[in-house]
Amino acid sequence: MTDAHVLSALGFDVTRTEGGRRGIAEIVPEMHAPGTLAVRTSILATWVDVVAGHLALETIVPQVPVTLSLDVHVVDPRRPVRAIQADATVVKHGRTVLVVRVDVIDEQRRPVALGSATMMASPVPGLTFDPVAAHKDAPHHPNVRLDVPFTDHVRCVREAPGSASLPLAPNAVNASHTLQGGLIGLAAEEAALSLFDDGEAAVSSMVLRYLRPVRVGPAVGTAVRVGSFCDVTVRDRG
C-alpha cells in the first residue's frame, strides 16, 4: 500500500448530488493530527480540494481545473471524528473562475469544518481531461487503507524548527503532474506545528494561496510564528 496514490490511501469517495458533489471517508488513526484523536487539517484541505475539483470538472472540462486558493476552518481541531462527509456546491461561476463552498460534517451530522476553493482552467497548452472520465464518480478502492501515519506515506519530514519538506513522488501528483494541493498544505502544517512545544497543538484554520506549482520537488515549507498564528511559504527546492 506504500505506493498507493495519496487520494486512494485516504479513501475519499466522490459522487454526484443534486446540487453538486459529495465526498465521504472513514477516519483512521493514521490520519490524526499529532497527539490528538482528530483528523489533520491538511487532510481536510486535501478533501476540500478534491471534491471542489470534481465539481469544477463539470464546467471546465475538457480543460484541467487548477486551484488558485483554498481555505478550511475547523470547528474543533481536537474533536474525535470517525467519518466525514464533504458537500461541495458552486458559489460563483464566472467566465474564467469558479468559486466552490464545501461543508464538512461528521458521522453525527455535526459541523466539522467549512471550506472553499477558487479554481480556474489550467493555462498549460494542450493539457486536457477526458470528458467521459471527468463525469464518472471517483473510483472506490475498498481494499486500500492508510496503514502508516499520513506524513510517513508521503515521506513528509520536519527538517528543523519551522521547516518541513516532502518529495514529488508519482503517488503524490495531480492531473497537472504537479504536487497535489493538499500536500502543499501538509508541508505548511508540519512546518507550523514544529514551532510549537505543545505536542497536542493542532491547526484550526488553513488559508492557502497557490502562486507557483511544485514541478520538481521537494516541496519545502518555511514557517514564521506570530503569536498563535504562522505565516508559511512553500517553495519547490528543485
Side-chain angles (χ1 to χ4, degrees):
M1 211 283 290
T2 55
D3 293 330
H5 192 278
V6 61
L7 301 184
S8 294
L10 290 177
F12 194 55
D13 298 323
V14 181
T15 57
R16 293 185 193 85
T17 63
E18 184 177 349
R21 290 271 177 160
R22 171 173 295 164
I24 59 172
E26 175 190 359
I27 306 302
V28 296
E30 290 78 12
M31 300 177 186
H32 290 167
T36 77
L37 297 177
V39 63
R40 277 182 176 271
T41 301
S42 59
I43 292 180
L44 292 175
T46 300
W47 287 334
V48 167
D49 189 42
V50 170
V51 73
H54 275 272
L55 187 54
L57 286 172
E58 298 285 349
T59 56
I60 292 176
V61 77
Q63 293 174 283
V64 175
V66 294
T67 309
L68 294 176
S69 65
L70 183 150
D71 62 85
V72 57
H73 308 282
V74 185
V75 175
D76 183 352
R78 289 189 175 90
R79 190 177 75 198
V81 178
R82 296 197 300 271
I84 68 101
Q85 173 180 305
D87 288 305
T89 54
V90 174
V91 175
K92 174 68 174 179
H93 179 210
R95 287 182 293 178
T96 58
V97 173
L98 180 74
V99 180
V100 178
R101 171 186 172 124
V102 181
D103 293 277
V104 184
I105 60 175
D106 66 11
E107 71 283 354
Q108 300 181 44
R109 305 197 66 79
R110 297 176 301 180
V112 172
L114 176 62
S116 67
T118 302
M119 317 193 89
M120 65 171 286
S122 172
V124 178
L127 185 62
T128 60
F129 203 90
D130 179 2
V132 176
H135 290 82
K136 289 183 178 179
D137 294 339
H140 179 50
H141 302 280
N143 297 319
V144 175
R145 176 190 180 278
L146 192 66
D147 55 10
V148 296
F150 187 45
T151 49
D152 292 350
H153 184 74
V154 297
R155 292 183 289 158
C156 180
V157 297
R158 299 182 185 183
E159 297 186 331
S163 177
S165 70
L166 63 89
L168 180 68
N171 68 344
V173 298
N174 55 26
S176 299
H177 308 295
T178 60
L179 187 66
Q180 205 279 334
L183 295 182
I184 293 178
L186 176 63
E189 181 180 50
E190 281 293 285
L193 290 175
S194 70
L195 293 176
F196 291 80
D197 296 329
D198 183 359
E200 296 184 356
V203 176
S204 59
S205 289
M206 182 178 291
V207 179
L208 302 170
R209 300 285 181 262
Y210 296 99
L211 306 180
R212 183 176 297 173
V214 175
R215 298 188 182 279
V216 179
V220 179
T222 304
V224 176
R225 181 174 174 178
V226 183
S228 61
F229 295 88
C230 282
D231 180 22
V232 187
T233 300
V234 180
R235 291 190 172 90
D236 186 343
R237 181 179 283 166

